[in-house]
């Protein structure tokens, strides 16, 4: 049943008849669940991984009932592993995920127009199952609308604190967007009545806020429709149509900067940042905040060719949803993936004032885990 060879402990038929599950010795030793190796109260690892000797190996390994027991060649340390736990963490069978916040992304274009996830404000504040659905929509679709929030200043900040917590940026916890000359400092295009092209907010941070959310205290103007574009979807189209252009945008560091009298935040990162498996992790796109490119002259043509192609996909009507938000409505996006914007409006036709706040994406995932945990323990 259990065999030992080549730094691997093998168990036959652990995950079904005929299969052979293999576990690395150092990995097993590193994950010994005993109270000497993991603090029983904090569940943090107390065993120092780097001190596990290279020649660590079981002196003996046996399965009794539903437990694998190992006596190690170092200090006769004894480890017990639940077979269910081994099954779930069987790296030789599958890449496992034991994250309850794990989701599945759906890429979208204009076909989302009539099915944008939309929630009622009061439901979200009073029912954690609906809040869970909202969090999951941010995770899987990257866009959600909330209707009917109170017309009170600071509501978006309170909402962020209800979901998770506010991610502060240099300017404010709460940011006002309004085109009233003199009332607010029109240091960027959002505070004018001009069109605001699809963009992600704050790409000038090395770690941009993961969720951007705003709330209309009033929206009575003609025009000023809200727009959104799935950046991961347009990136996937670019990759398929022109893999070289995609590659360029994963490698060229584009500098972004946002500054005012209160701050000056600058960083340079690729518009398409990949994770260690090569999958797209962060999409940055803000025409207005991009700074003078500082790359070698010989790279310029390739970069601008790639940028032009991506930009055309961003502007393509089949990739964009457009919707009206009224006074009291909120909208939120996964700001590491989905762009938002608005059409131009006529400031003479009425007042328009929104308040904006951010959260970190990790804190939304955290809320998903917490609601699921509470559900498991019968509380909500
Ligand atoms: C912004 C923004 C949207 C709007 O301020 O970054 O995207 O509708 N505003 O004004
Ligand atoms: Zn131990
Ligand atoms: Zn914005």
């Amino acid at each position: 049943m259990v065999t030992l060879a080549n730094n691997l402990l093998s168990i036959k038929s652990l995950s079904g008849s005929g299969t052979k599950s293999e576990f690395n010795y150092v990995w097993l030793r590193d994950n010994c669940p005993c109270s000497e190796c993991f603090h029983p109260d904090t569940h943090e690892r107390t065993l120092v991984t780097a001190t596990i000797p290279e020649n660590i190996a079981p002196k003996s390994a046996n399965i009794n009932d539903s437990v694998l027991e190992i006596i190690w060649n170092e200090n006769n340390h004894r480890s017990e592993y639940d077979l269910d736990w081994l099954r779930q963490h069987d790296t030789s069978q599958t890449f496992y995920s034991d994250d309850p916040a794990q989701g599945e992304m759906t890429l979208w274009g204009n076909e989302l127009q009539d099915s944008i996830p939309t929630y009622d404000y009061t439901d979200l504040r009073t029912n954690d199952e609906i809040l869970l659905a909202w969090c999951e929509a941010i995770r899987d679709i990257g866009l959600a609308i909330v209707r009917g929030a109170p017309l009170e200043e600071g509501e978006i900040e309170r909402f962020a604190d209800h979901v998770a917590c506010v991610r502060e940026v240099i300017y404010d916890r709460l940011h006002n967007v309004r085109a009233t000359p003199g009332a607010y400092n029109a240091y960027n295009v959002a505070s004018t009545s001009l069109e605001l092209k699809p963009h992600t907010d704050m790409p000038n941070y090395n770690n941009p806020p993961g969720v951007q959310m705003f709330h209309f205290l009033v929206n009575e103007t003609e025009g000023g429709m809200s727009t959104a574009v799935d950046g991961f979807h347009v990136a996937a189209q670019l990759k398929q149509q022109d893999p070289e252009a995609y590659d360029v945008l994963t490698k060229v560091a584009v500098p972004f900067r946002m500054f005012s009298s209160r701050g000056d935040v600058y960083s340079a990162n690729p518009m398409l940042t990949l994770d260690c498996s090569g999958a797209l992790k962060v999409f940055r796109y803000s025409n207005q905040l991009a700074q003078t490119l500082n790359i070698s002259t010989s790279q310029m043509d390739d970069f601008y060719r790639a940028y032009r192609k991506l930009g055309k996909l961003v502007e393509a009507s089949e990739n964009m949803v457009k919707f009206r938000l009224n006074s009291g409505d909120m909208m939120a996006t996964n700001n590491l993936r989905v762009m938002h914007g608005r059409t131009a409006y006529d400031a003479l036709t009425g007042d328009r004032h929104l308040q904006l706040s951010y959260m970190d994406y990790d804190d939304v995932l955290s809320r998903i885990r917490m609601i699921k945990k509470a559900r498991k323990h019968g509380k909500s």
Side-chain angles (χ1 to χ4, degrees):
M1 185 85 166
V2 180
T3 53
L4 302 169
N6 303 323
N7 284 333
L8 293 173
L9 178 150
S10 307
I11 306 175
K12 236 181 140 199
S13 299
L14 178 68
S15 305
S17 65
T19 59
K20 190 166 95 173
S21 298
E22 295 179 318
F23 300 93
N24 174 278
Y25 291 166
V26 183
W27 181 92
L28 279 168
R29 180 64 193 87
D30 191 31
N31 288 292
C32 172
C34 85
S35 59
E36 260 174 63
C37 297
F38 274 83
H39 193 284
D41 299 327
T42 69
H43 307 293
E44 289 169 301
R45 178 180 282 101
T46 44
L47 168 71
V48 179
T49 303
T51 63
I52 300 171
E54 223 174 303
N55 63 353
I56 192 79
K59 264 165 96 173
S60 69
N62 295 292
I63 290 177
N64 303 309
D65 298 327
S66 55
V67 169
L68 167 70
E69 183 198 86
I70 297 179
I71 307 291
W72 295 98
N73 62 354
E74 186 198 25
N75 305 327
N76 286 322
H77 190 81
R78 185 166 160 276
S79 304
E80 283 189 356
Y81 307 86
D82 187 81
L83 291 190
D84 273 341
W85 184 88
L86 285 171
R87 233 170 254 127
Q88 279 158 20
H89 297 83
D90 184 351
T91 49
S92 66
Q93 300 295 322
T94 167
F95 181 75
Y96 69 85
S97 169
D98 52 8
D99 181 3
Q102 172 88 20
E104 205 167 318
M105 206 164 18
T106 306
L107 301 183
W108 50 265
N110 180 253
E111 76 286 351
L112 188 73
Q113 184 68 51
D114 296 324
S115 52
I116 299 171
T118 302
Y119 301 86
D120 173 70
Y121 173 87
T122 307
D123 288 349
L124 285 169
R125 292 299 298 244
T126 55
N127 185 329
D128 275 358
E129 286 301 317
I130 295 175
L131 182 60
L132 176 64
W134 181 91
C135 293
E136 290 178 336
I138 295 298
R139 181 193 63 193
D140 299 338
I141 307 291
L143 171 65
I145 293 171
V146 178
R147 304 278 187 201
L151 302 178
E152 280 164 30
E153 296 243 0
E155 194 49 51
I156 197 68
E157 194 180 331
R158 286 188 288 279
F159 184 73
D161 278 332
H162 177 66
V163 178
C165 52
V166 172
R167 154 75 190 270
E168 291 194 33
V169 290
I170 190 76
Y171 303 99
D172 296 294
R173 280 171 68 81
L174 179 78
H175 184 67
N176 286 285
V177 178
R178 184 180 213 180
T180 309
Y184 292 99
N185 185 6
Y187 60 84
N188 69 14
V189 65
S191 318
T192 70
S193 58
L194 298 171
E195 177 189 9
L196 195 49
K197 297 272 191 193
H199 62 282
T200 58
D201 278 1
M202 307 276 164
N204 51 314
Y205 274 88
N206 279 308
N207 171 30
V211 178
Q212 76 81 33
M213 313 194 289
F214 57 75
H215 169 225
F216 272 104
L217 284 169
V218 50
N219 191 12
E220 291 168 348
T221 55
E222 272 169 32
M225 295 276 283
S226 295
T227 60
V229 178
D230 183 351
F232 277 27
H233 187 212
V234 295
Q237 291 167 45
L238 181 69
K239 190 176 185 182
Q240 206 233 337
Q241 292 169 15
D242 191 338
E244 277 171 29
Y246 180 89
D247 193 51
V248 166
L249 296 180
T250 66
K251 297 206 169 110
V252 171
V254 177
F256 292 100
R257 180 181 180 207
M258 194 168 187
F259 65 98
S260 74
S261 57
R262 299 179 55 196
D264 189 344
V265 181
Y266 173 98
S267 67
N269 288 283
M271 291 163 82
L272 309 178
T273 306
L274 306 183
D275 69 13
C276 52
S277 73
L280 184 54
K281 189 171 188 178
V282 180
F283 183 94
R284 287 181 172 80
Y285 194 94
S286 178
N287 198 67
Q288 60 266 32
L289 297 186
Q291 304 297 300
T292 303
L293 203 57
N294 187 9
I295 56 175
S296 73
T297 312
S298 60
Q299 287 178 290
M300 294 282 185
D301 275 347
D302 284 346
F303 173 78
Y304 280 113
R305 194 180 68 82
Y307 191 4
R308 186 179 299 117
K309 283 210 164 181
L310 182 69
K312 285 194 170 140
L313 290 167
V314 169
E315 300 256 350
S317 58
E318 62 269 25
N319 286 327
M320 188 179 293
V321 292
K322 213 178 255 189
F323 45 94
R324 172 78 187 181
L325 295 173
N326 295 308
S327 306
D329 290 346
M330 294 174 169
M331 118 134 153
T333 55
N334 172 347
N335 189 51
L336 308 177
R337 168 184 164 191
V338 170
M339 290 163 275
H340 62 282
R342 63 146 199 259
T343 61
Y345 65 94
D346 182 349
L348 298 175
T349 54
D351 202 5
R352 186 181 195 272
H353 181 192
L354 61 87
Q355 294 191 313
L356 214 160
S357 222
Y358 299 105
M359 297 188 293
D360 272 329
Y361 185 63
D362 286 326
D363 291 325
V364 175
L365 297 184
S366 155
R367 190 60 197 265
I368 291 176
R369 295 185 195 103
M370 295 308 286
I371 295 176
K372 289 194 170 174
K373 219 185 286 181
R375 184 202 269 168
K376 221 162 132 185
H377 296 116
K379 324 174 238 172
S380 65

